[in-house]
């Protein structure tokens, strides 16, 4: 079962169980996916859906930070709950240690020797961690390990 089908099934289940919050969150995500399909005039594959899910979580994490900074815990709780619902559809996240190991291996494999090679390292690295690690963390670790 692909991600789009899983989202549809979970949406139906949320309707049956009358879980309005989960239902609205899944509908928002499905609408974003549908808009992208309309724009591209084709059905999205699982990798493209993963990109959308990752982007949705990143946007919500940014909002979460802003709400907490502004002292709006009521809004922060809602956004955190949305993140939890969407996270279910992402592959299992890598730990920071696993990401560090992948970064070290990629730096070695690409022969990167300075920060000037960062683009080359990131280009080789991102497909390996796509949807499984936060891009901001990956970027920080690459900067940390490059001299």
């Amino acid at each position: 079962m692909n991600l789009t089908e899983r989202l549809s099934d979970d949406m139906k289940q949320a309707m049956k169980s009358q879980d309005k919050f989960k239902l609205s969150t899944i509908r928002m995500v499905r609408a974003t996916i549908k808009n992208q399909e309309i724009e591209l005039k084709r059905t999205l594959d699982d990798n493209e859906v993963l990109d959308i899910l990752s982007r949705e979580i990143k946007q919500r994490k940014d909002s979460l930070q802003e709400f907490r900074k502004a002292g709006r815990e009521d809004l922060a709780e809602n956004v955190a709950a949305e993140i939890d619902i969407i996270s279910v559809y992402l592959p299992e996240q890598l730990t920071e240690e696993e990401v560090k190991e992948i970064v070290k291996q990629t730096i070695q494999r690409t022969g990167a020797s300075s920060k000037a090679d960062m683009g080359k390292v990131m280009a080789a690295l991102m497909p390996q961690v796509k949807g499984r690690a936060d891009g901001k963390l990956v970027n920080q670790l690459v900067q940390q390990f490059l001299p």
Side-chain angles (χ1 to χ4, degrees):
M1 176 183 303
N2 69 25
L3 282 172
T4 309
E5 292 168 349
R6 242 179 92 196
L7 282 163
S8 293
D9 288 350
D10 288 353
M11 186 178 81
K12 290 173 192 169
Q13 194 59 42
M15 280 183 204
K16 288 178 185 174
S17 65
Q18 297 184 353
D19 185 346
K20 290 182 176 157
F21 189 77
K22 184 174 184 177
L23 178 62
S24 71
T25 302
I26 293 174
R27 278 185 172 157
M28 278 189 284
V29 171
R30 288 193 66 224
T32 304
I33 292 168
K34 194 68 175 165
N35 287 338
Q36 187 71 31
E37 287 177 341
I38 290 169
E39 189 176 308
L40 296 173
K41 295 181 175 79
R42 64 179 172 80
T43 305
L44 300 179
D45 64 21
D46 271 359
N47 280 333
E48 293 167 317
V49 173
L50 265 179
D51 286 343
I52 290 172
L53 293 172
S54 297
R55 190 171 56 235
E56 290 291 315
I57 285 184
K58 183 181 183 314
Q59 288 172 351
R60 282 169 175 77
K61 283 182 178 178
D62 292 344
S63 298
L64 185 64
Q65 266 186 328
E66 293 302 316
F67 290 147
R68 289 206 167 123
K69 215 184 291 181
R72 295 294 310 263
E73 276 306 311
D74 54 327
L75 295 175
E77 286 176 23
N78 284 342
V79 172
E82 286 178 0
I83 291 171
D84 291 340
I85 291 169
I86 298 169
S87 295
V88 170
Y89 302 99
L90 292 177
E92 189 175 322
Q93 297 295 296
L94 296 169
T95 64
E96 189 170 339
E97 288 305 313
E98 291 170 322
V99 175
K100 281 182 183 179
E101 194 55 41
I102 293 171
V103 167
K104 287 177 189 176
Q105 291 171 0
T106 305
I107 288 173
Q108 244 180 354
R109 194 175 63 246
T110 58
S113 58
S114 70
K115 296 230 190 272
D117 297 325
M118 187 162 172
K120 182 168 59 170
V121 173
M122 291 298 287
L125 188 61
M126 288 314 287
Q128 295 178 51
V129 297
K130 183 179 185 178
R132 301 184 320 153
D134 181 36
K136 202 179 287 185
L137 171 68
V138 174
N139 190 308
Q140 289 171 349
L141 291 173
V142 170
Q143 288 181 12
Q144 177 184 332
F145 289 116
L146 281 177

